[in-house]
Amino acid sequence: KSISRNLDISPLDRASIAFALGLALDFSQEFDEAFEHFKSANLLMRNIVNYNEEAELRKIDHIISYFKDKRPTKGTYPDVDEVTLIFVLGMPRSGTSLVEQILASHPSVYGAGELGALGIVASELNYPESFFDLPNNYILSAREKYLDYVKKYSKEYQYVIDKEPRNFLLIGLILQLFPNAKIIHCKRNPLDTCLSCYMQQFNTGVGFSFSLEETARYYKKYTELMTVWNSIYPKNIFQLHYEELIDDAQKKVRQLAAYCDLSWEEAMLEYYK
């Protein structure tokens, strides 16, 4: 507190310091004091980052109503010969980074991180409004545009991972453009997920995280949308529970490898190396 009074520190730097103090105190099991720092940090971030909760939730509701009413099927376009795409998605802080690290320990797999490319393609296609009316040439063009982002990796690797968590909004588009893509939905205890978001200094892409109430409402909408996707594509989405992965890594990693059509590699259990 004395530092913040006597030094000229920007609100963003104040928030960073408060998050760091919160994490240090949480690690030391000083939970009440840690939470006060997280509270201060998130209040600062809320004043820095513009977040329109109504618009964000309305966007998810729009996708839900659009696909729930029209019930799409997978695309029928040929697979991409040179690379198999793996999309690891879900809420932030649900284990997506861990899953990418495990899979990328396989010699045939490259973890490309959070590409963000699919969101750009979706915007250009006016997703979801034009989803059912896309001409073949539009779809083929969109496929090529996305692949341009990953071709630099596919020359060396047979599999490339896109770990953008919020691709859960675009599962219908993924399976339209890439019917044979592997989709891994990471799930974690809701309380752990939401609190972990609150303890993380995200940027504008995760604006809901600066309020526990807003995070909870966003989480609720996310689960509603995933219910729709799972009902439409029950065999195309691998459901991975973070707690099950931690409790029995051997079993879950073997299931992951089988789902992705990967040969077994012990390195996937030694990802931390």
Side-chain angles (χ1 to χ4, degrees):
K1 291 179 181 178
S2 61
I3 291 176
S4 64
R5 281 200 303 265
N6 297 327
L7 294 180
D8 183 17
I9 303 175
S10 72
L12 183 59
D13 286 340
R14 290 172 192 261
S16 299
I17 293 169
F19 274 113
L21 287 169
L23 290 171
L25 288 162
D26 179 70
F27 184 78
S28 300
Q29 299 188 11
E30 300 288 343
F31 301 122
D32 291 339
E33 192 175 352
F35 191 80
E36 289 304 311
H37 284 289
F38 288 128
K39 195 172 175 182
S40 298
N42 281 290
L43 284 172
L44 285 164
M45 292 301 297
R46 170 54 69 240
N47 291 327
I48 296 169
V49 175
N50 182 29
Y51 173 66
N52 188 331
E53 181 185 27
E54 182 181 356
E56 284 295 313
L57 299 186
R58 188 169 58 243
K59 179 167 68 174
I60 300 177
D61 273 333
H62 183 54
I63 297 172
I64 290 172
S65 62
Y66 200 86
F67 284 96
K68 193 173 182 180
D69 293 340
K70 296 190 178 181
R71 312 298 294 181
T73 58
K74 285 175 59 180
T76 56
Y77 305 93
D79 198 6
V80 183
D81 293 333
E82 68 268 25
V83 60
T84 298
L85 301 172
I86 302 175
F87 293 89
V88 179
L89 46 78
M91 277 287 288
R93 309 299 297 168
S94 63
T96 55
S97 296
L98 174 61
V99 170
E100 181 188 39
Q101 194 172 5
I102 289 170
L103 291 174
S105 298
H106 193 287
S108 299
V109 181
Y110 184 85
E114 300 178 13
L115 291 178
L118 194 64
I120 297 172
V121 170
S123 178
E124 293 177 352
L125 291 176
N126 194 31
Y127 171 90
E129 279 79 3
S130 62
F131 181 85
F132 290 94
D133 303 313
L134 287 173
N136 284 3
N137 62 313
Y138 275 58
I139 292 177
L140 294 173
S141 176
R143 281 162 52 96
E144 284 305 312
K145 177 154 192 171
Y146 178 82
L147 286 170
D148 283 343
Y149 288 93
V150 301
K151 278 180 179 176
K152 57 184 175 181
Y153 311 122
S154 63
K155 291 178 182 177
E156 298 181 34
Y157 296 90
Q158 184 182 350
Y159 296 79
V160 175
I161 302 172
D162 184 340
K163 191 202 71 78
E164 170 55 57
R166 295 183 70 192
N167 278 339
F168 76 82
L169 296 165
L170 309 173
I171 287 177
L173 182 62
I174 291 172
L175 291 173
Q176 179 71 301
L177 299 181
F178 305 105
N180 295 313
K182 306 297 182 180
I183 298 177
I184 300 166
H185 172 215
C186 296
K187 297 190 287 186
R188 186 183 178 188
N189 178 284
L191 294 178
D192 287 337
T193 303
C194 292
L195 183 59
S196 186
C197 285
Y198 191 69
M199 294 166 62
Q200 183 77 19
Q201 188 176 15
F202 286 114
N203 56 24
T204 55
V206 194
F208 58 79
S209 68
F210 307 124
S211 159
L212 284 174
E213 291 81 4
E214 290 173 352
T215 302
R217 288 190 287 268
Y218 190 90
Y219 188 96
K220 184 173 183 292
K221 285 297 175 190
Y222 140 78
T223 58
E224 290 175 12
L225 178 55
M226 286 308 308
T227 297
V228 172
W229 292 139
N230 291 329
S231 68
I232 299 172
Y233 307 109
K235 297 180 180 179
N236 299 105
I237 305 173
F238 185 89
Q239 309 292 338
L240 182 66
H241 294 264
Y242 176 82
E243 290 79 9
E244 293 178 1
L245 177 60
I246 298 302
D247 289 343
D248 193 347
Q250 174 83 230
K251 177 181 177 181
K252 299 311 293 185
V253 173
R254 284 187 177 276
Q255 289 177 353
L256 263 178
Y259 168 74
C260 293
D261 298 324
L262 288 168
S263 61
W264 177 249
E265 293 283 342
E266 288 293 331
M268 290 189 290
L269 290 176
E270 299 177 337
Y271 61 89
Y272 46 85
K273 293 184 178 179

